[in-house]
Amino acid sequence: MYVIRSMKLAGFLMQKGFVILKLQNDRNGTGRNVFLFNESTDLTNAIKEYREGA
């Protein structure tokens, strides 16, 4: 599983067709949610695309 802490990135990934496997509270006690996705090469490439500003 791949953990995403950014709601904006999670939304970007969902628009690309990736499905959230699980949504849970951050274990660091921040009160924020984390989004769990199935780790794959396609997911990694989509995250790189997001970070490059595409």
Side-chain angles (χ1 to χ4, degrees):
M1 286 212 231
Y2 196 94
V3 177
I4 302 291
R5 290 183 172 82
S6 164
M7 186 182 297
K8 190 173 179 182
L9 175 55
F12 175 83
L13 294 172
M14 288 186 289
Q15 286 180 336
K16 291 283 192 179
F18 295 96
V19 178
I20 293 176
L21 298 178
K22 192 171 184 180
L23 175 66
Q24 64 187 36
N25 291 328
D26 189 0
R27 292 184 181 169
N28 294 334
T30 61
R32 301 180 78 187
N33 291 324
V34 294
F35 308 88
L36 302 170
F37 289 87
N38 191 25
E39 191 167 359
S40 68
T41 304
D42 290 337
L43 180 74
T44 304
N45 290 337
I47 292 169
K48 286 179 186 175
E49 179 184 337
Y50 173 82
R51 290 185 176 153
E52 291 170 357

